[in-house]
Amino acid sequence: MAKPFASSTDLEEKTETLEVLDDGVYALTAEGDPNVGAIEGEDFLVCIEARATPAAARDWLVKLREHTDKPIKYLVLTHYHAVRVLGASAFEAETIITSDTTLKLINERGKEDWDSEFGRMPRLFKEPDEIPGLTRPNLTFSDHMTIPLGGDRGQLDLQFCGRGHTAGDIAVWHDKSKTLFAGDLVEAQAALYTGDAFHMDWASNTLDAVKAFRAEKLVGGRGAVALGNDACDAAVEQTREFLNGMIENVGAAHKSGGTLKDAFLATHKALAPKFGHWPIFEHCLPFNVQRLWDEFDGTDWPRIWTMERDREVWDQLQD
């Protein structure tokens, strides 16, 4: 019996929890669904990530408005994936910010990614007909930019830490509260999606750069908020362990002349005992292994995922 495609049968609603991490610092987690956040400036809000649709974004904003009525001036998107960006219109933000590379990826593959992710994770796309089109930023940067928050609220540092989950991921650092919004560069007890990743960069220098913030509160892309230096370090290192487990097993199969299916089976066997019960593990692994196999073949820039390619890889590996 073939496994249901990706998360197509995951239709159970998750419990959403808004956490106040510090004065004016908020995170919404949802049992392994994508996390979002917000930080208050003196007289405005910076929101981080947008969810998959305007309707899903409004659900988050209703909870946020129980704590603050400040206008949303900035919406920061850590990377281009559809479940992170297509709800942007609900925020009515003055400025939408991404890295330069993320804008390049939106223009190159945003529509294909939208179609792919809708097929893989339909539950996240609440009222999809409301999506007005691709989300594009009106402000981008190369490596680093700063948002002064005013008053005594410090500043936000938006930092490209290196190629990782995608070519253009950024982290959002609030030094005053020692809070890091890491996007999908780090997951806390949730499986990694690496279908558009640069595994070797991510597992080494990029995670080193993320760890160097010395965060005391870390909001990853999915999973619980890590609280305290030790827990933040542990979240980074479990992310690295997942990546290195993939690199070791896919690399061994590739080097020995094995097949893509051999690589998948070996990686699944190695990772499942520790990571297999985490959200989206079974969903992600076929796409992860295919991308890493491509890297070992010498394909640096990730191939574009389409609905057709999704099904082809799934049928080949996840039966």
Side-chain angles (χ1 to χ4, degrees), residues 56-188:
R58 287 195 298 272
D59 290 343
W60 148 232
L61 292 173
V62 166
K63 293 180 172 65
L64 181 61
R65 289 307 184 196
E66 295 174 1
H67 297 268
T68 174
D69 61 0
K70 293 176 181 177
I72 299 168
K73 186 173 183 180
Y74 300 102
L75 174 62
V76 178
L77 304 174
T78 64
H79 61 288
Y80 75 94
H81 284 150
V83 296
R84 304 289 181 181
V85 305
L86 292 180
S89 61
F91 293 79
E92 299 181 343
E94 289 182 27
T95 304
I96 299 174
I97 304 173
T98 73
S99 69
D100 295 341
T101 303
T102 290
L103 176 56
K104 174 183 176 180
L105 289 162
I106 291 168
N107 289 332
E108 177 188 76
R109 60 185 66 198
K111 183 60 170 69
E112 290 87 349
D113 181 73
W114 176 354
D115 294 340
S116 168
E117 294 204 31
F118 183 76
R120 293 182 187 182
M121 295 175 281
R123 178 176 53 78
L124 298 182
F125 287 81
K126 181 179 181 179
E127 299 177 29
D129 291 345
E130 281 191 77
I131 300 170
L134 291 175
T135 297
R136 289 185 171 85
N138 52 14
L139 177 61
T140 67
F141 65 95
S142 175
D143 296 310
H144 176 261
M145 75 168 285
T146 299
I147 300 176
L149 296 175
D152 63 354
R153 294 193 172 272
Q155 66 181 35
L156 287 184
D157 290 286
L158 313 185
Q159 183 68 48
F160 173 69
C161 297
R163 303 193 304 180
H165 173 70
T166 73
D169 302 273
I170 59 173
V172 182
W173 172 241
H174 185 228
D175 186 70
K176 187 172 189 292
S177 66
K178 303 298 180 187
T179 303
L180 182 67
F181 290 87
D184 281 320
L185 288 172
V186 179
E187 311 290 9

